[in-house]
Amino acid sequence: MRRIILVLLLALAAAPAAVGANNTIGKPPPAMSANKARFIVERPSDDILYGMTAARLKVNDQVVGAIMRGQTLTLEVEPGDIRIAADAEMSMGSSMLQFQVEPGMEIRLQLTTRGSHFVGALGGLAGMVVEAAASDNKGAFTLTHLTTGYAPQGDNLEQRILSLNALYAKGVFTQAEYQERRRAILDMMD
C-alpha cells in the first residue's frame, strides 16, 4: 500500500500542469478594465498533492474558473464586498477569504494544497468526513493573501477618484478609509 501511494505521489510530481486559458506563473497579467478590480491567483508548480486536480475558484459563490498547478488565474471583479473561495470537485469543504475591493485594486493570492486533507482522503468518504469535521471544513486547498496594491492605470487616475467618491457616497468607507485610499491614488501621480 505504501509503495502504491509513493508511486502515485511521484507520478503527480512529475506530471506537467495542464494547459488551459490561464497564464503561467511569472507572466504579467493583462491590462485591467476601467472601474474593475482584480485577483491574481497563483498555484505553484511544486504543489504535488492533488497535482492533477483542478482547484475550482468561486467569487461570491459563483464558479469563475479552475486552476491547475503551475498556473496563474486573473479574475476581474466589480468593486465591493468579494468572497473568493477554492475547492475541489470531489472534496468536502473550501478555503475562503473576504475582501472589500475598490476600482484599480489588485489582490494577489496563492493557492496551495493542505497536506492534512490528503491523509483524510486516503480513508475514503469516511476519512474525508472525519477530516473535514476536524479542520473546520477547510477543504483540499488553502488560499493565502500575498499582497494588495493598485494596478497601473495610465491616465485613468481621474476615473479612479470618481469611482472612489461614488463608493464613499454609498457609505462603503468611513471618512478615514476614504481619505487614506484617496491619498494612495493621488500619490501615484507623483
Side-chain angles (χ1 to χ4, degrees):
M1 180 68 168
R2 286 184 186 177
R3 233 182 256 164
I4 293 171
I5 293 172
L6 181 59
V7 168
L8 287 173
L9 287 174
L10 290 173
L12 288 176
V19 176
N22 302 325
N23 301 322
T24 55
I25 291 177
K27 185 177 177 183
M32 188 184 318
S33 302
N35 297 321
K36 299 276 187 165
R38 74 173 158 209
F39 287 90
I40 299 174
V41 184
E42 298 176 351
R43 185 171 174 193
S45 59
D46 60 352
D47 189 14
I48 62 169
L49 293 178
Y50 296 99
M52 298 302 289
T53 302
R56 255 188 332 200
L57 293 174
K58 297 178 182 179
V59 172
N60 294 340
D61 301 320
Q62 298 295 314
V63 175
V64 294
I67 185 171
M68 297 295 288
R69 67 186 180 111
Q71 292 184 324
T72 298
L73 184 63
T74 301
L75 305 168
E76 284 198 357
V77 298
E78 296 292 330
D81 189 34
I82 301 292
R83 289 178 319 281
I84 186 165
D87 65 15
E89 187 84 27
M90 301 298 291
S91 178
M92 301 178 82
S94 65
S95 177
M96 195 265 301
L97 296 173
Q98 189 162 350
F99 298 90
Q100 183 64 42
V101 300
E102 56 193 62
M105 190 177 275
E106 181 177 276
I107 300 169
R108 290 189 172 269
L109 305 174
Q110 185 176 55
L111 179 71
T112 54
T113 54
R114 285 190 328 103
S116 62
H117 186 75
F118 184 72
V119 174
L122 291 177
L125 181 59
M128 289 170 53
V129 169
V130 169
E131 191 278 333
S135 67
D136 294 327
N137 212 23
K138 298 293 185 193
F141 297 99
T142 298
L143 277 171
T144 304
H145 180 206
L146 299 176
T147 62
T148 297
Y150 288 90
Q153 295 290 315
D155 296 328
N156 203 14
L157 292 176
E158 178 183 359
Q159 185 59 44
R160 291 186 56 208
I161 292 287
L162 292 173
S163 296
L164 184 63
N165 290 346
L167 289 171
Y168 177 64
K170 290 180 184 178
V172 174
F173 306 116
T174 66
Q175 185 173 7
E177 291 170 325
Y178 167 77
Q179 292 295 336
E180 178 183 330
R181 287 177 167 97
R182 186 173 187 277
R183 173 65 15 221
I185 293 169
L186 292 174
D187 285 347
M188 292 177 70
M189 294 175 65
D190 296 339

